[in-house]
Amino acid sequence: MTNALVVKAANLIRSGDIAGAEFALVSLAETEGDYALVAALDTLPPKDLLAVIREYDTSKESVVNLLVTPEQFARAVVMERLYGDHSHVRLRGMVNAVLFRDDSQAGEFLEAIGDVDGGCEALIDYLSDRDEEVVHFVTYDTFNVNRTEEGDEVDKSEVSDRDWKELTWLLKHEHPDMFEQIWPVLKKRMKERLRREAELELQEQEKLESQERPAAAQPAAVVDPGEESAL
């Protein structure tokens, strides 16, 4: 029955019925137990597993997200980059849903992501919208870019947001080898972004100044003294 349900789930995924596929997988857990579902997930191609995980709905609990193993999830996270989602909204949603699930296995999941090719690159994408805060955190241990004094450091309890702050804190303090591969890339991207923004701002300023500059005075018309007056 396990193989039949896995084949059914895979066919549903390929036809675009993600909800139906998840229902089939959940049915497997209900009839044969959680271990059967974990084993079934291991037989699914990473792209099929990803299709289920990335449709995570925060309004309901996902059995698949609760039972996916660190290794299975790491492969799915790397596969997510192939979707070319420049906003990385799906990536952040699925990472938060699985890393910060209630069984507190965030460390194991991060290690698995770090062990797979492309894993650190996926986390760079995850943190890309927060590059300035992350780079500031490297030096000052706080995400407040306006705080640079000793004693401004935050501890884990202050950043347990089940989101990017908690992930960054875990990387720096519990997975420093991974963090050393991540933050320099974010710093480079931040510099490039700030340079582009400065160039655009300069262009806009020059455009405004040219629009506000008064037009050059037009030369007066030359009157031929030989012409008779119309009066």
Side-chain angles (χ1 to χ4, degrees), residues 8-220:
K8 178 182 179 180
N11 289 334
L12 288 169
I13 291 169
R14 293 186 181 94
S15 67
D17 186 1
I18 306 303
E22 183 174 12
F23 181 79
L25 293 170
V26 171
S27 298
L28 176 60
E30 292 175 347
T31 57
E32 299 189 29
D34 292 350
Y35 289 110
L37 176 55
V38 172
L41 295 179
D42 213 30
T43 66
L44 280 176
K47 62 182 180 61
D48 289 347
L49 177 58
L50 170 63
V52 176
I53 296 176
R54 78 192 306 262
E55 293 298 323
Y56 175 70
D57 181 356
T58 56
S59 66
K60 64 182 181 68
E61 190 174 71
S62 168
V63 173
V64 173
N65 286 355
L66 289 174
L67 295 180
V68 64
T69 68
E71 292 74 20
Q72 292 166 348
F73 183 66
R75 293 193 295 269
V77 165
V78 172
M79 185 69 64
E80 167 64 24
R81 302 191 77 223
L82 300 181
Y83 276 82
D85 176 14
H86 298 296
S87 70
H88 307 304
V89 172
R90 297 276 190 171
L91 174 63
R92 286 193 292 271
M94 57 186 274
V95 167
N96 289 348
V98 174
L99 253 68
F100 302 118
R101 63 192 195 184
D102 293 336
D103 57 3
S104 301
Q105 289 183 302
E108 295 179 27
F109 280 96
L110 283 175
E111 288 178 7
I113 293 172
D115 287 341
V116 68
D117 288 342
C120 285
E121 287 80 0
L123 294 180
I124 290 169
D125 289 344
Y126 173 102
L127 293 169
S128 59
D129 286 347
R130 298 292 181 174
D131 53 13
E132 190 170 358
E133 291 100 324
V134 173
V135 171
H136 188 79
F137 186 71
V138 172
T139 303
Y140 301 105
D141 231 27
T142 176
F143 296 106
N144 187 340
V145 296
N146 298 315
R147 303 292 292 273
T148 59
E149 300 294 332
E150 185 176 348
D152 291 337
E153 302 87 349
V154 294
D155 58 32
K156 186 179 178 181
S157 63
E158 296 178 83
V159 295
S160 296
D161 60 350
R162 303 171 75 87
D163 202 349
W164 67 273
K165 288 183 179 179
E166 186 169 355
L167 177 61
T168 304
W169 194 97
L170 289 171
L171 285 170
K172 179 180 179 182
H173 292 283
E174 298 183 7
H175 304 273
D177 291 344
M178 288 178 62
F179 196 53
E180 285 298 320
Q181 298 179 57
I182 292 170
W183 76 260
V185 179
L186 286 172
K187 183 177 182 179
K188 180 180 179 181
R189 289 187 181 183
M190 178 190 73
K191 288 182 175 180
E192 292 174 350
R193 174 179 60 81
L194 293 175
R195 178 184 57 78
R196 289 194 303 269
E197 291 175 356
E199 289 176 351
L200 288 174
E201 185 177 351
L202 180 60
Q203 291 173 6
E204 286 296 321
Q205 185 64 31
E206 291 175 345
K207 182 178 178 181
L208 287 174
E209 289 176 354
S210 66
Q211 292 173 347
E212 294 172 356
R213 191 177 302 121
Q218 297 295 323

